[in-house]
Amino acid sequence: MKEAVLKKFEELYGDTQGVNVYFAPGRVNLIGEHTDYNGGHVFPCALTIGTYAAVRKRADKKLNFYSMNFEELGVIESSLEDLNPSDEAGWTNYPKGVMWAFAGRGMEMDCGLDMVLNGNIPNGSGLSSSASLEVLTGYVLKDLYGFEVTNIDLAKIGQYSENNFNGMNCGIMDQFASAMGKKDNAIFLDTADLSYEYAPLVLDGAKIVVTNSNVKHSLVNSAYNERRSECEKALEELQAVIDIKGLGDLTEEQFEANKSAIKDEVRVRRAKHAVYENQRTIRAVEALKKNDLKLFGELMNASHVSLRDDYAVSCEEIDVLVEEAWKIDGVIGSRITGGGFGGCTVSIVRDEAVDTFREKVGAAYQERVGKKADFYVVEIGDGPSRL
Ligand code: GLA
């Protein structure tokens, strides 16, 4: 990947003198879905796949962006004087948003840059290619322009720019997982106060298998933002009867005792998911610490049911992948991962069952949905770096 971006850089911008190459990872979330904007816990890990960039400062204020994943778009030109979101800017709205967010915090770039990107996260798969691009951009700015920011700042800035520049009201999980990733560890993050703990992921005799449905339904962002406002409304209603800051403050019992304050059936289900999923995540991490993979898997499965039925962010294709996975001996747990409405599932599969898993789930998916699924046995990697 490094050689490829450098080669492209030379081809587009003349030579590679003084060019640096950087990487930031994508992520997969093991459990704790749609809890991160509800003050709950999440349990993601950074992957060894992600986004690479070859970058060099320019003498003027120009910004030249090129992505090897969107070669047909060619070099997209912009400038530091034009850090505004626009439809024509396409994917460059992500790096531009981060530059804008840095500038808003008093960290203004004194000159522009030439950039070539290349990512190996399948596009639109829900493995956070956009968060990896945001964290990557932040890391480049820190390294090349000398801005003093921590990796947690990079996560916050990435989320801020995605919310305010790109109009997606995401929580902080994806950017945090990318910025704070640690090889062979998942991150147990409390989004209420950003306290976190690394949990070694020792899956004795099992692998993490990500299955790509290869579908991405439209209106993902608007449906996501809608879920988020439903939760906010439910929280307000609950706050009239109980003193809480977020849905993540509630136990299941407290929720059941107070849920009549929520005046709409749909909102009750949304809030129920947020509360129960948070508790499941806490329990799942405890189970992992005790090496109780069986319980961990059961909680993953319960997470899927809740996301499908109460939170309504699954879809037919994803449900087929999960149902077929559940049928296979050696599957410890399987669920939708990420924002939903398509994308990927995450499964924990015993080593000896991985081949059967691919074959059977792949064939059943083809048969029932008429589409091809892709399978990746993923590894947990580190956060951003200069290569
Ligand atoms: C997307 C968002 C995250 C999180 C997940 C759902 O990936 O970017 O902040 O809300 O969906 O868990």
Side-chain angles (χ1 to χ4, degrees):
M1 295 295 282
K2 183 177 174 183
E3 287 65 42
V5 276
L6 281 172
K7 188 158 169 271
K8 196 47 140 187
F9 194 98
E10 180 165 20
E11 210 178 296
L12 293 170
Y13 308 116
D15 62 80
T16 56
Q17 220 184 339
V19 175
N20 287 332
V21 179
Y22 300 89
F23 168 78
R27 66 95 188 90
V28 66
N29 188 23
L30 299 174
I31 191 161
E33 215 69 80
H34 289 278
T35 48
D36 65 344
Y37 48 86
N38 285 309
H41 293 77
V42 292
F43 196 48
C45 40
L47 299 171
T48 51
I49 54 172
T51 311
Y52 292 76
V55 194
R56 182 170 61 196
K57 279 183 173 182
R58 294 179 57 90
D60 57 20
K61 302 267 175 187
K62 274 195 188 161
L63 299 168
N64 287 323
F65 299 106
Y66 182 88
S67 169
M68 295 173 73
N69 302 100
F70 299 101
E71 301 214 298
E72 65 287 1
L73 301 178
V75 174
I76 301 180
E77 294 182 15
S78 187
S79 125
L80 287 175
E81 266 116 43
D82 175 34
L83 293 180
N84 302 300
S86 74
D87 287 345
E88 307 79 70
W91 67 267
T92 68
N93 280 314
Y94 291 106
K96 285 173 76 177
V98 171
M99 294 171 183
W100 166 84
F102 267 78
R105 294 176 183 218
M107 294 178 278
E108 282 194 47
M109 298 157 67
D110 53 0
C111 60
L113 49 74
D114 293 330
M115 188 183 243
V116 171
L117 286 156
N118 193 9
N120 52 8
I121 303 174
N123 239 316
S125 58
L127 300 177
S128 292
S129 53
S130 37
S132 78
L133 179 50
E134 289 154 6
V135 169
L136 179 70
T137 307
Y139 194 84
V140 165
L141 297 196
K142 165 187 158 134
D143 193 63
L144 271 190
Y145 295 80
F147 298 136
E148 286 187 20
V149 282
T150 63
N151 279 23
I152 294 187
D153 293 333
L154 295 184
K156 288 183 184 165
I157 293 172
Q159 184 203 15
Y160 181 85
S161 71
E162 185 150 347
N163 290 172
N164 297 290
F165 200 87
N166 297 285
M168 161 75 172
N169 289 331
C170 61
I172 199 162
M173 170 171 73
D174 304 349
Q175 292 80 6
F176 199 96
S178 176
M180 297 295 289
K182 184 171 167 188
K183 190 174 165 27
D184 296 333
N185 282 262
I187 309 171
F188 183 41
L189 169 68
D190 183 351
T191 63
D193 58 8
L194 294 193
S195 58
Y196 66 97
E197 191 187 310
Y198 288 109
L201 211 61
V202 262
L203 297 178
D204 254 349
K207 299 237 169 351
I208 303 174
V209 183
V210 170
T211 308
N212 191 349
S213 67
N214 289 313
V215 297
K216 193 82 213 164
H217 291 285
S218 54
L219 304 177
V220 176
N221 287 10
S222 57
Y224 182 96
N225 291 347
E226 184 183 279
R227 292 294 175 286
R228 186 164 179 162
S229 26
E230 286 165 344
C231 286
E232 278 160 8
K233 178 86 182 125
L235 173 64
E236 257 172 47
E237 293 169 297
L238 283 165
Q239 281 169 332
V241 294
I242 182 166
D243 183 21
I244 50 168
K245 289 214 174 60
L247 296 174
D249 291 346
L250 292 174
T251 61
E252 291 104 328
E253 294 73 29
Q254 286 170 320
F255 176 73
E256 295 302 332
N258 291 283
K259 68 179 184 192
S260 60
I262 306 173
K263 296 296 169 223
D264 171 84
E265 174 45 31
V266 170
R267 281 200 299 277
V268 174
R269 295 213 307 274
R270 305 292 191 253
K272 178 178 176 202
H273 167 78
V275 171
Y276 280 62
E277 178 77 355
N278 179 45
Q279 297 299 328
R280 265 192 293 273
T281 306
I282 297 170
R283 246 172 252 146
V285 175
E286 277 165 18
L288 192 71
K289 283 184 183 160
K290 291 187 193 136
N291 225 346
D292 187 348
L293 264 193
K294 186 169 173 283
L295 177 57
F296 190 87
E298 284 163 10
L299 292 161
M300 286 176 76
N301 297 346
S303 164
H304 183 76
V305 171
S306 175
L307 287 156
R308 182 190 68 194
D309 299 345
D310 286 334
Y311 217 65
V313 290
S314 190
C315 60
E316 195 201 328
E317 295 88 344
I318 289 285
D319 289 341
V320 168
L321 288 177
V322 170
E323 277 165 29
E324 294 298 331
W326 285 344
K327 288 182 192 164
I328 294 172
D329 271 351
V331 170
I332 294 166
S334 185
R335 56 181 286 277
I336 184 172
T337 186
F341 309 101
C344 289
T345 65
V346 59
S347 310
I348 299 188
V349 185
R350 295 231 170 268
D351 291 343
E352 64 277 12
V354 171
D355 288 342
T356 317
F357 180 89
R358 285 182 206 254
E359 275 158 35
K360 291 210 168 150
V361 176
Y365 189 64
Q366 183 71 51
E367 154 112 31
R368 290 178 62 185
V369 175
K371 289 194 179 89
K372 186 176 165 292
D374 287 316
F375 299 87
Y376 326 106
V377 175
V378 297
E379 277 163 45
I380 305 181
D382 284 316
S385 60
R386 165 140 55 99
L387 302 178

